[in-house]
Amino acid sequence: MGLYLEIWGDRGPQARPLDGAQFTIGTDPKNDLELDDEAVSALHAVLQSFPTGWTIRDLGSRNGTLVNGERIGSEVVLRDGDEVRIGRVRMVLRDPATTPRRTQALAEPPRLTPREHDVLLELCRPLLQGDAFTEPATVAGIAAALVVTEAAVKQHIAHLYDKFGLVDADRKRVRLANTALQTGAVSLGDLRRAT
């Protein structure tokens, strides 16, 4: 058996294969899984298949849908072993073909001073233009925008290279701008708000 829902009821767990592109759950008999539970809506939730896995979405039910104990407010990706609760019914997604894989957490961006953050914002500002090969701002451009000397900007950029762990060979403004965006030290939202 491939991917299936392990549905826990009074008589123990029952397996329901997940076939097709979607799988509806509710009290209406037309659903793929009909539940006899007064706390469940007629069309309560839907599981959706994508090439990389399955998601679940609550369809505006009165009592909501819980995944691993948390009420969901939007579509949630399901993984092998995730628990879904709809009304009083407990279900567990089982995927025998899954090989355990852990997503690594992103490293936090380094702690920046307010002025270093300002320098990064100005460095990355040209990226808002959306051109594929846009260069970050020059030292002179950053200095003019922040009304400081070029020497002060160079000093801040040197500190930023150190904080982001960019070694001598990598000390380029392009690399610094990309790293700032990748780590979340600067976001496109920050850039838009600062204009």
Side-chain angles (χ1 to χ4, degrees):
M1 181 186 297
L3 189 74
Y4 65 95
L5 275 180
E6 185 179 84
I7 304 161
W8 289 80
D10 297 336
R11 291 169 281 161
Q14 296 178 351
R16 284 294 302 267
L18 291 175
D19 299 324
Q22 68 179 19
F23 187 88
T24 58
I25 302 171
T27 58
D28 191 295
K30 294 176 187 163
N31 286 303
D32 296 301
L33 177 60
E34 179 187 359
L35 298 178
D36 183 21
D37 185 333
E38 294 172 354
V40 176
S41 298
L43 181 57
H44 195 103
V46 63
L47 281 84
Q48 190 99 28
S49 174
F50 292 93
T52 56
W54 283 78
T55 62
I56 188 167
R57 181 170 30 104
D58 186 86
L59 297 173
S61 68
R62 181 176 193 152
N63 294 309
T65 300
L66 281 72
V67 174
N68 297 324
E70 299 284 325
R71 187 171 178 155
I72 61 172
S74 61
E75 201 161 17
V76 172
V77 175
L78 292 175
R79 291 178 181 76
D80 180 49
D82 281 349
E83 179 190 66
V84 176
R85 284 193 179 265
I86 293 179
R88 295 173 194 88
V89 179
R90 175 181 178 259
M91 295 168 262
V92 179
L93 183 76
R94 297 292 183 199
D95 186 359
T98 299
T99 53
R101 180 183 162 276
R102 299 192 131 228
T103 302
Q104 293 184 350
L106 290 173
E108 289 290 319
R111 186 171 291 244
L112 304 175
T113 66
R115 187 47 107 184
E116 288 169 342
H117 191 257
D118 292 343
V119 168
L120 275 181
L121 285 174
E122 291 305 323
L123 178 74
C124 297
R125 185 171 312 285
L127 303 178
L128 276 178
Q129 295 171 4
D131 297 334
F133 299 105
T134 302
E135 287 284 321
T138 63
V139 170
I142 297 169
L146 296 177
V147 191
V148 295
T149 65
E150 289 184 29
V153 171
K154 287 179 183 177
Q155 184 177 16
H156 286 301
I157 288 177
H159 288 143
L160 289 166
Y161 285 144
D162 291 337
K163 285 187 174 186
F164 283 97
L166 301 176
V167 295
D168 290 337
D170 291 334
R171 290 184 173 222
K172 297 184 188 253
R173 290 175 298 106
V174 172
R175 175 75 190 226
L176 179 58
N178 286 336
T179 303
L181 289 167
Q182 288 171 347
T183 61
V186 171
S187 71
L188 291 178
D190 292 336
L191 295 173
R192 289 186 185 106
R193 282 190 294 275
T195 54

